[in-house]
Every structure is written in C-alpha cells, then in structure tokens.
Amino acid sequence: MSTPTFSTTLKTAPGYLDVAANAHGEEKAFLALRALERVQTPGPRLVEIGPGGGSAVAFLASRLAAGEHQGKDVHLTVVEVPGVVSESLARAMKEFGQVGTCDLVTGFAQDLAAIVSEPADVVTASALLHEVYSYGDGYSGLHDVIRTIPTVLRPGGMFAYRDVYAVESPSLHERVVQTYSALSWVRFLRMFLPQYLREGTHPYHRSADLTVFRQDSRIVPAEELNDATSTLVAAPVGIFREVQRHYITLRDHIWRSGVLGFVPYLDGPLASDWIDAKRGHKRVHYALTDTGRLPTSQKTMLLALSERYTDHYTVDGDIFDECTDIALSAFLELAGSGDGECAQVWESWVTREGRETYAYMTLDALLAAFAVSSTEAPQDERTVLMSVAVADVIQQDRAYYNRYLRRNLPNPLKDAKQLVLFSNVPAAGDPRSLGEGMHCLQQWCGRANLARVYSAINSGR
C-alpha cells in the first residue's frame, strides 16, 4: 500500500486519533458483538483493522466486563499503520486486557494475511475501504483488500464492516440537480469542488459526469461563482454526496480548531444531550475560545440565547447551527483570501480529508464486489463473503445531520452509516448458507449484480 502524507502524518496523528477518530464506539462494535454471538469457538479470535482511538475496543471491553459472551476467552488483535501512537487506544487495550487478551500488530490492510498469524473468527473495520479507495490505488486497492479478508478468516468466520452510506440511486453516476442558496454552502462549492474533482481519487471521469453550475440562468465556472447568488448544480448524485459529507467534516474540523470563537462538545455524554433524538434535535454544549474572530455582536447574541452550564454554555442545536453557518461563511471568505490562521485551518482539512471519496460504491455494488472479489482470494478452498440474513445489512441514519441538512438544502441526500456483517461461506459444501446469502442479496442488488455473483461462485477456477 502506498504511504502518502495523508496516511502517515495526518489521519494517523495522535491528536486526530485520540479526538476526532475516537467516537461511536458502540456503533463500531455493534456487529462485532453480533458476530461473537454466532461464533461457536470457546476462545474466539477477533481482529480489528484500523482501531483509531480505540473507541470500539473500549466498548467491547465494557460489554465483556458486563457479562456478555460469558465463557468465551476472546483474543483481540488490533492492526494499525506503522508508527502510529494513540494514548486513548493504549488505554482501551489495557481495559480489554482485564477481560480478555489483546495485542497490537502493525502493517497495512492489503498485507493482512502476512500480519495476522492465526485464522480469525471475526474481522472488523470501520471506514477502511473508503480510505483505501481514496489513498490506496482506487478500486484496485479496494478489491485487493477484499481478496485478502477471506484468507485470514476461518470458514464460517465473519467480517463486520461500517462505513458512510452512499445513495439510494442504483448508480453514483445518475444525474440530478441540486440548488444551493445559503452563503456558506455556495462559498464552499466554489472553494472545494474544483480541487476535489481535480485532485481527489473519484470515479467521475466520464463525459456524462460533467458538473455544470448555473447562476441567473447562465453557466458559470465553479471558480467564478458569486457567493451571494443562488446556484443550480447538475451533476452525478455521488458528487452531491461528497459535497454534503465534506461540508460536515469541514464544519467539525473548524469547530475543533477553535478558530470560530466557540468549540462544541463533539464527544462524550455532553455531545448527546437530546431534546428529541428521533428528530435529531439536541442541546449543544459549547465553550468560548480566546480567538477574536467572533464579532462582539454575534458573541453577545449567542450568549443571550444560551444558558450557563457549570464551566461552559448550552444552547438549542438549531440556533447553534445558524450561528455556525454565519461564522463559517466569514471563515471561508478569510481562508479564500489567504488569511493566515483561517487559511492554515482550511489547508489542514483539505490535506487530511478534502481529497477523500466517501461514496465509492452504492450498497448494491458493494455487496456484489465483496461476493465476487472474495471468490478470487488466493486460497485452496474458495469462500465467498456474503450477508446471510437481511438483518445483517443495516442503515443507521444520522438524525442530527439530516435535520441540519433539511434546513439548508431543498432536496438533501440522506446522511447515514451502513453496517454490513459478511459471513465467509464455503463456495462448495454449504448450499444452505449460499442460498441464504443469495436471498439476502436479492433484497439489495439488481439483476446484473446478482448474475455476476452467481457466475463468480459457480464458475470455479
């Protein structure tokens, strides 16, 4: 696997892993726990690829300590990129050591077969493939990883995977039209999309994938967009997924930097102070920073709408989002004009995440790719990675983000995570599991991909 600056210094920096990549432990570990329930081995071996700050490791430790999977001595191996150090991961591994055994090995996902010494019962990963796609040779690197996974799993073992949900359309290339009128969104389009299309690893290279911008009924180059004018954009639906997801990651990045003048609590119990969790409405906890970039008038009005909460403040999430977008508009203007601090924060985000592609495949294509590529794994007895129950494919909506997107975009794409539990089914000798797998695929895949899977399983080598 190639080792660009991205993988060695930015996304693997301790400050990123211990904070930004150390959340959602319960969601990351959910399918791993479900897989362990099905494992019959008394001492199951579990492998996590890319543990980040260890949130999933810590959650697994807490559930095992609470008595789940009693009688099973779980051995956990975490696989991380060479040279990465995370204090929070070290603490999580120590916690896991109280209820099982845990060790750390280093290497890249494509080399998993050479890293893992014994066959695993369960392999788990979160957001692995969209980063491999973006920074590890695109689809080629992605399929290499898929072919590697069956070689480290026992027959009947499971791979638990979590990543960004793509789109409901059958293809990422389906052309749609979106309207952007909010100042911060138009400004973001102008600054982000040209460099993403030019420098990012993405599949939008066909002539039919051209992105067209219109303002006042005229076609306008992206770099010349008027920030104050409503913008109509025609493009593949997958590009709009990238715009939405990158806007959200930029917003989080800027929040954490403190440059706006306030920093919300994005992790821990205070990040989940829900007014109405189902509708994504929450109370935001935040602290003020020393930066002078927040105008006194805005700071005064924000505080007037907030309540004191011990050493910080709380405010309705809808109000906080509006304040953020106003401040974000000013930030983008300053960053675009070369302002030192804002430009530095912008460039750090662009370097770390701005070229990343989140929607590399639809769910239809992803399930088919796992099934087909896994049959090509270099092993004596062929296996196929398939979900064998409809409940093994889960879409977890991001209610808070969807609430925000609905207020800012006339027809936003749904923001969600997808969780898939794949079983390593023998390609011969287990017709029942193969039948269950094909039945599951029918719920998500179109006829063309079903035919590809059928052919891959039955063609032999």
Side-chain angles (χ1 to χ4, degrees):
M1 179 177 180
S2 58
T3 56
T5 301
F6 160 85
S7 66
T8 56
T9 63
L10 296 172
K11 278 253 178 144
T12 56
Y16 177 81
L17 292 175
D18 291 340
V19 181
N22 195 28
H24 306 297
E26 180 176 0
E27 187 177 272
K28 292 176 181 177
F30 175 75
L31 287 182
L33 286 168
R34 176 179 289 185
L36 286 173
E37 290 174 0
R38 300 185 190 176
V39 171
Q40 302 300 315
T41 311
R45 303 188 69 84
L46 172 65
V47 174
E48 183 181 13
I49 309 170
S55 59
V57 176
F59 185 78
L60 284 168
S62 70
R63 301 317 303 157
L64 293 175
E68 289 193 24
H69 308 294
Q70 259 184 330
K72 290 184 178 180
D73 181 20
V74 181
H75 177 82
L76 171 64
T77 298
V78 293
V79 181
E80 191 50 280
V81 175
V84 172
V85 177
S86 167
E87 292 182 3
S88 57
L89 174 59
R91 289 194 299 270
M93 291 179 62
K94 186 175 181 180
E95 292 173 19
F96 196 95
Q98 304 299 312
V99 293
T101 56
C102 185
D103 62 77
L104 171 69
V105 297
T106 59
F108 296 100
Q110 286 93 326
D111 305 319
L112 197 62
I115 299 168
V116 177
S117 59
E118 296 185 44
D121 296 284
V122 180
V123 175
T124 180
S126 181
L128 169 70
L129 294 182
H130 81 237
E131 293 186 2
V132 169
Y133 174 86
S134 298
Y135 304 97
D137 302 323
Y139 287 119
S140 175
L142 187 150
H143 287 288
D144 284 345
V145 170
I146 296 174
R147 294 184 190 103
T148 299
I149 292 170
T151 67
V152 299
L153 277 173
R154 299 182 193 277
M158 280 161 277
F159 175 56
Y161 190 59
R162 168 187 176 270
D163 210 335
V164 173
Y165 174 74
V167 294
E168 293 182 7
S169 304
S171 170
L172 293 169
H173 299 275
E174 180 180 320
R175 290 192 70 81
V176 297
V177 176
Q178 284 271 19
T179 301
Y180 296 88
S181 55
L183 180 62
S184 60
W185 281 85
V186 177
R187 193 163 281 167
F188 178 72
L189 277 176
R190 176 173 57 78
M191 295 175 63
F192 162 72
L193 203 46
Q195 68 83 28
Y196 169 76
L197 293 174
R198 183 177 61 251
E199 301 175 19
T201 300
H202 59 77
Y204 308 109
H205 302 290
R206 307 182 312 180
S207 59
D209 292 333
L210 182 66
T211 301
V212 180
F213 302 85
R214 284 184 172 86
Q215 288 187 324
D216 296 330
S217 300
R218 293 179 300 175
I219 295 177
V220 181
E223 295 87 348
E224 298 177 16
L225 289 173
N226 183 335
D227 298 342
T229 302
S230 181
T231 305
L232 203 68
V233 186
V237 65
I239 286 180
F240 294 114
R241 162 60 71 228
E242 300 309 320
V243 170
Q244 285 188 194
R245 197 85 285 275
H246 280 89
Y247 185 96
I248 287 171
T249 65
L250 172 65
R251 195 175 67 149
D252 286 358
H253 178 77
I254 295 172
W255 272 340
R256 293 182 192 278
S257 76
V259 72
L260 297 184
F262 47 81
V263 178
Y265 285 72
L266 298 176
D267 309 294
L270 294 181
S272 302
D273 188 359
W274 295 106
I275 297 172
D276 187 338
K278 186 176 181 180
R279 291 179 170 81
H281 191 192
K282 71 177 180 179
R283 189 178 293 104
V284 174
H285 292 248
Y286 72 94
L288 296 173
T289 65
D290 295 332
T291 180
R293 297 194 178 278
L294 185 66
T296 302
S297 59
Q298 290 184 31
K299 179 178 178 180
T300 301
M301 287 187 285
L302 177 59
L303 290 175
L305 297 169
S306 305
E307 296 181 4
R308 189 80 185 183
Y309 189 95
T310 62
D311 61 344
H312 61 275
Y313 300 91
T314 66
V315 68
D316 183 280
D318 293 349
I319 294 173
F320 189 80
D321 287 341
E322 291 296 334
C323 293
T324 292
D325 277 352
I326 292 170
L328 189 55
S329 295
F331 166 88
L332 290 171
E333 183 176 24
L334 291 168
S337 64
D339 174 86
E341 185 178 13
C342 293
Q344 183 179 9
V345 172
W346 168 262
E347 285 301 323
S348 67
W349 173 79
V350 167
T351 304
R352 193 185 75 195
E353 296 190 45
R355 298 173 178 85
E356 190 161 329
T357 292
Y358 294 101
Y360 51 91
M361 286 183 180
T362 62
L363 184 58
D364 176 345
L366 181 72
L367 294 175
F370 264 90
V372 172
S373 292
S374 60
T375 64
E376 300 166 350
Q379 49 185 352
D380 295 332
E381 300 294 331
R382 291 198 313 147
T383 58
V384 53
L385 288 171
M386 313 172 76
S387 296
V388 296
V390 174
D392 288 345
V393 182
I394 301 168
Q395 179 181 306
Q396 192 73 40
D397 291 351
R398 289 287 186 260
Y400 168 66
Y401 290 130
N402 285 320
R403 181 184 181 89
Y404 166 74
L405 292 167
R406 284 194 298 269
R407 294 199 310 274
N408 284 272
L409 301 173
N411 51 340
L413 302 175
K414 182 183 296 184
D415 194 85
K417 294 287 186 178
Q418 61 190 26
L419 290 75
V420 184
L421 183 59
F422 296 94
S423 293
N424 194 34
V425 180
D430 190 356
R432 178 179 177 180
S433 294
L434 286 173
E436 291 171 343
M438 291 302 295
H439 173 72
C440 180
L441 285 175
Q442 280 185 297
Q443 314 305 309
W444 307 99
C445 295
R447 289 190 294 271
N449 276 331
L450 288 172
R452 285 181 60 222
V453 173
Y454 180 88
S455 176
I457 294 173
N458 291 287
S459 63
R461 277 190 281 159

